[in-house]
Amino acid sequence: MSTPSQTLTLPSAKPYAFQFPLTTTALIIIDIQRDFVDPGGFGSVQCGNDEIFSRARAIVPTVRKVLDVFRSVGGHVIHTREGHQPDLADLPAAKRLRQISSPHGHHTMGIGDQGPMGRLLVRGEYGHDIIDELTPWPGETVIDKPGKGSFWGTDIHRVLLARGVTHLLFAGVTTECCVTTTLRECNDRGYQCCVLDDCTQGFDAQQVATSLDTVSGQDGLFGFVGTSADFFTAINESLTQLTPPATPPLLGDDGLPPIGELISRYKKGITSPAEVVNFVFDRIEKYHATDPAVWIHLETREKVLQAAEKLASRYSGKPLPPLYGVPFSVKDTIDVNGVPTTAACPQYAYTATFNSPAVQYVLDAGGIFIGKVNLDQLATGLSGCRSPYGITHSVFSEKHISGGSSSGSSVSVGAGLVSFGLATDTAGSGRVPAAFNGIVGFKPTKGTVSAKGLVPACRTLDTITVVAPSVPDTRKVWRIIARHDPDDPFSKLPHTLVTWKVDFRGPRLGGFTFAVPPPSSLEVCTKAYQDLFSQAVQLLRSCGGRLVEVDYTIFEVAGDLLYEGALLHERMTCLGLEFLQTKLEELHPVIKALFGGALEKPPSAYDVFRDQALQIQLTRKAQQTFDTLRGGIDVLVVPTTTQHPTIEQMTADPLRLNSKLGTFTHYANVVDLCGANVPAGTYIDELGTRLPFGITILGGAGYDAKVLDIAGVAEATFKEAFAKA
């Protein structure tokens, strides 16, 4: 079934028609667990009346129909389960004791007591799980909540933000308790909410009616109340208005389709993972004649075909995971089990014994690993010209640099050899090459993607990143790999990450504030880059952006810390001081010059502590810049880099040009920002070559979803403007 993109309407909703854009709407199914709708569970104890209790089960067929339709149009689905840790450490005494302590009540059993389906409301027990009819599909989120609401002790708000959700349709049990408690929490955070009244039920008819009246009362105090009949009609009408899509062409010269379209083709049986694998390897073999330096390790076609066939067999007749059959590359600083990790330095090479968590998450989601790609040696540089495995070039020009250090990652995506790449970004290594190859490069907040299994460039700054052709594809992959890792000491605890109120209108209609560097800071850019950046700023203002001024010196000072302060020596410590001292003469000449000079001038302890204190001060000031509750901006917009050198220019002046290229990228991780490069036009250089230009949209720590929201609007606006030009 095709996905309707327009705004849908439930015309008979109370207090008035509920409108929702399907692409940013989630169906949230609250607590339809065995413990709440099957006999012998906690719900039957709570209710105390078998006849009344059976009504909760009666909504399941309707909920199932809504869920089936929602899945068929690619909607976001969230399931919740109420329950507690086996040791009940997360169970407040008030919740545990209040009802069973009632002198005239009917609660003879409490949470944690043994029931017919195991201990009541305890995670891992049979009764705790969602009923078979509504079993979550791969890629659907399950929120395990210890409370009646869904926000205490969970990351549901960040889950919704990550998906760009603005509207919620509610189903589940019980209406008077967990459903409307969660709805009220969502209302406080800015979501537009609608309960489908025939998809929810409770244990007290009067309380159910009163709860729904309260939601929609007073002109929509907390939200809307609608019906599944209106929902089905809205979906059907929207589908009939769509122009029937032409039969998708077979894979061809245009390369791989977007991830969503590729998954759709798999579902319809138009293509298979094996066919895609053969297509990918055919393109790789053909592109080798254009650029032989992309890959350091390429899996054999036969091995990948076996993986594809195994994947197809595993999911035959079953729901497909979100990256089913999607081919991807991995930067050769990220561990893949059984594959050598070289960091483009043969002297450093080792064979990995496990998958990096990011790689494992992608494989678990159905991704197909193709191989490991080239980079600037030891992930040091922004050029793509510092590897013993050869120099890659931009997909736009064989004379111009690919950018680095994630050179092979960006070329493999820009050339259409894979659907996305896992790369890294310490000082701009994911953003600069993305800009030079006309793709999206997203650097998440450091500490939100596990760095376990990553060769460290600078451990306190390293970030695994995503490069992909578009913002939507980038976002799909980021959502899968961005998970807290308790085994990574640099991983941020989820509850420490910022959240913010939602504007259900979205950035284009709701608006956003952004700042840019002052004119004096932009003078480092070429004339073509300055002109294209000015054009991008005007386009951002046309799609909801409001330009404001900020103190940009914070970021310039932070950028200087990366290579002119003690952080360079942290980089060397991470790589191994003994390794650098004993292998220095064997390294790439530019890497040798950089580290050799630093070895001769070690910082004093005073220098280290001075720089640490300055970094902390600058980070605090930078984060305040993005605090919109205190007059801050939503995003900072900068040219991703300053110019696009030729390979000849870069090799002739490698250190000075590299520093220049990092003018707008070096500070991001130093002061804990996240950011996305977005293609923002092309230009003709003095050699007559058409080259790409990119801007980076930066946000404060944890604002990844906001950055991607605005990046998505920017990407669409740029494409529309350039199509008309």
Side-chain angles (χ1 to χ4, degrees):
M1 186 180 289
S2 300
T3 302
S5 58
Q6 69 269 38
T7 297
L8 308 185
T9 303
L10 306 185
S12 59
K14 298 176 182 179
Y16 53 88
F18 177 68
Q19 295 185 324
F20 61 102
L22 190 63
T23 53
T24 60
T25 297
L27 172 65
I28 181 165
I29 302 175
I30 303 291
D31 298 358
I32 305 189
Q33 307 158 239
R34 298 186 184 99
D35 252 336
F36 282 114
V37 298
D38 284 350
F42 182 77
S44 62
V45 174
Q46 185 87 343
C47 179
N49 183 302
D50 291 344
E51 181 180 352
I52 295 175
F53 175 72
S54 65
R55 297 173 190 167
R57 234 323 175 153
I59 67 170
V60 170
T62 304
V63 175
R64 172 64 185 270
K65 290 178 183 177
V66 170
L67 177 59
D68 287 345
V69 170
F70 210 74
R71 285 169 169 167
S72 72
V73 294
H76 303 284
V77 178
I78 312 289
H79 306 261
T80 73
R81 299 184 298 196
E82 182 180 351
H84 298 273
Q85 297 174 189
D87 61 1
L88 304 183
D90 58 351
L91 175 61
K95 182 179 179 182
R96 179 169 63 89
L97 298 174
R98 184 170 52 247
Q99 290 175 296
I100 63 172
S101 299
S102 174
H104 307 295
H106 62 268
H107 290 78
T108 58
M109 298 176 65
I111 297 170
D113 289 343
Q114 188 69 34
M117 294 184 290
R119 296 173 66 203
L120 299 176
L121 281 194
V122 171
R123 295 174 191 172
E125 299 288 342
Y126 180 74
H128 176 258
D129 215 350
I130 293 166
I131 63 173
D132 293 342
E133 297 95 317
L134 305 178
T135 297
W137 279 9
E140 294 179 354
T141 299
V142 178
I143 300 294
D144 281 318
K145 59 190 186 74
K148 295 174 174 62
S150 296
F151 284 76
W152 164 248
T154 80
D155 61 352
I156 188 171
H157 191 25
R158 288 195 61 82
V159 166
L160 296 172
L161 291 171
R163 284 154 178 74
V165 170
T166 56
H167 293 65
L168 292 165
L169 293 173
F170 278 82
V173 296
T174 61
T175 313
E176 67 271 26
C177 186
C178 296
V179 173
T180 50
T181 300
T182 296
L183 181 143
R184 289 185 180 208
E185 291 176 318
C186 291
N187 166 76
D188 285 343
R189 289 158 176 82
Y191 297 100
Q192 282 282 60
C193 304
C194 180
V195 186
L196 300 179
D197 66 4
D198 53 343
C199 292
T200 185
Q201 190 52 265
F203 300 150
D204 184 306
Q206 182 58 55
Q207 288 184 2
V208 169
T210 300
S211 296
L212 293 176
D213 287 343
T214 302
V215 167
S216 61
Q218 301 181 38
D219 298 327
L221 181 62
F222 296 109
F224 298 78
V225 177
T227 66
S228 66
D230 268 7
F231 171 75
F232 296 137
T233 299
I235 293 290
N236 289 333
E237 288 179 351
S238 66
L239 290 173
T240 60
Q241 294 170 13
L242 291 175
T243 302
T247 302
L250 295 177
L251 300 168
D253 292 338
D254 291 338
L256 292 159
I259 292 174
E261 183 181 335
L262 183 58
I263 299 295
S264 178
R265 292 186 186 194
Y266 285 142
K267 290 179 178 178
K268 296 174 181 177
I270 294 173
T271 191
S272 68
E275 183 180 2
V276 168
V277 167
N278 278 319
F279 171 78
V280 164
F281 274 87
D282 288 346
R283 283 185 70 87
I284 290 172
E285 291 169 5
K286 182 179 179 180
Y287 197 74
H288 183 78
T290 301
D291 189 344
V294 179
W295 303 90
I296 290 179
H297 168 87
L298 188 64
E299 296 279 85
T300 66
R301 184 189 295 247
E302 291 71 25
K303 183 176 180 180
V304 180
L305 281 172
Q306 289 176 5
E309 295 292 357
K310 184 177 179 181
L311 184 72
S313 176
R314 184 188 313 158
Y315 290 101
S316 177
K318 300 177 181 178
L320 302 183
L323 296 179
Y324 175 84
V326 178
F328 70 101
S329 64
V330 176
K331 184 176 181 177
D332 199 17
T333 50
I334 303 172
D335 284 348
V336 177
N337 188 28
V339 176
T341 297
T342 71
C345 182
Q347 299 82 3
Y348 194 88
Y350 61 90
T351 298
T353 58
F354 64 92
N355 288 322
S356 160
V359 171
Q360 189 61 56
Y361 293 146
V362 169
L363 292 173
D364 291 344
I368 296 180
F369 170 64
I370 301 300
K372 302 188 79 174
V373 284
N374 206 353
L375 64 144
D376 281 321
Q377 190 172 74
L378 299 173
T380 303
L382 297 173
S383 70
C385 300
R386 302 177 178 180
S387 172
Y389 297 99
I391 295 176
T392 57
H393 59 73
S394 168
V395 298
F396 282 75
S397 165
E398 63 181 14
K399 294 182 179 180
H400 289 78
I401 67 171
S402 62
S405 62
S406 304
S407 51
S409 302
S410 294
V411 171
S412 66
V413 172
L417 309 182
V418 292
S419 294
F420 68 91
L422 296 181
T424 69
D425 192 321
T426 302
S429 292
R431 289 161 284 158
V432 170
F436 286 162
N437 290 280
I439 62 172
V440 175
F442 178 56
K443 188 204 77 63
T445 298
K446 63 182 181 180
T448 58
V449 178
S450 176
K452 190 177 176 183
L454 170 65
V455 174
C458 191
R459 203 179 298 275
T460 62
L461 304 183
D462 291 337
T463 310
I464 289 181
T465 65
V466 180
V467 289
S470 69
V471 172
D473 280 2
T474 301
R475 193 167 195 152
K476 282 184 176 72
V477 179
W478 166 68
R479 284 183 354 219
I480 288 166
I481 66 172
R483 307 187 199 182
H484 172 64
D485 181 0
D487 294 327
D488 176 5
F490 293 91
S491 184
K492 287 183 169 70
L493 293 169
H495 71 267
T496 67
L497 295 169
V498 68
T499 57
W500 57 95
K501 71 180 188 301
V502 171
D503 189 330
F504 72 94
R505 299 168 298 177
R508 187 183 292 273
L509 294 179
F512 59 94
T513 55
F514 73 100
V516 299
S520 59
S521 298
L522 294 171
E523 291 175 358
V524 68
C525 297
T526 61
K527 178 65 165 54
Y529 268 43
Q530 291 182 45
D531 291 344
L532 284 164
F533 184 67
S534 178
Q535 174 183 270
V537 168
Q538 294 308 311
L539 287 171
L540 287 173
R541 297 177 80 169
S542 76
C543 64
R546 180 168 63 88
L547 183 61
V548 298
E549 292 186 7
V550 297
D551 179 8
Y552 189 71
T553 57
I554 299 167
F555 305 102
E556 291 180 313
V557 174
D560 292 339
L561 276 178
L562 191 63
Y563 283 107
E564 297 178 15
L567 283 172
L568 175 59
H569 292 268
E570 182 195 333
R571 177 183 284 259
M572 296 164 63
T573 301
C574 291
L575 291 170
L577 188 59
E578 182 181 351
F579 168 79
L580 289 174
Q581 290 172 332
T582 58
K583 302 293 184 180
L584 187 65
E585 295 300 320
E586 302 174 45
L587 300 182
H588 187 280
V590 179
I591 306 299
K592 173 187 171 183
L594 177 66
F595 288 141
L599 284 170
E600 294 175 358
K601 299 177 181 179
S604 69
Y606 300 103
D607 296 328
V608 174
F609 287 119
R610 179 201 63 207
D611 287 355
Q612 283 182 346
L614 179 57
Q615 183 183 3
I616 291 169
Q617 293 166 7
L618 292 170
T619 299
R620 175 59 61 86
K621 290 180 180 179
Q623 298 306 317
Q624 290 172 342
T625 301
F626 297 96
D627 186 350
T628 58
L629 296 180
R630 291 169 177 80
I633 56 174
D634 288 306
V635 292
L636 173 66
V637 179
V638 299
T640 297
T641 186
T642 59
Q643 62 195 101
H644 196 160
T646 63
I647 294 173
E648 182 180 0
Q649 290 169 333
M650 196 75 211
T651 53
D653 191 7
L655 294 178
R656 187 188 67 84
L657 260 183
N658 192 89
S659 177
K660 200 172 182 180
L661 292 179
T663 299
F664 302 108
T665 62
H666 282 166
Y667 54 73
N669 278 334
V670 174
V671 292
D672 205 3
L673 307 184
C674 57
N677 170 76
V678 179
T682 60
Y683 66 101
I684 305 296
D685 78 342
E686 62 276 8
L687 299 177
T689 307
R690 182 168 293 279
L691 295 170
F693 170 75
I695 64 167
T696 291
I697 298 173
L698 293 161
Y703 285 104
D704 306 57
K706 180 185 285 189
V707 164
L708 290 171
D709 284 343
I710 295 171
V713 170
E715 180 181 58
T717 301
F718 295 160
K719 286 182 177 179
E720 182 180 352
F722 303 146
K724 293 177 180 178

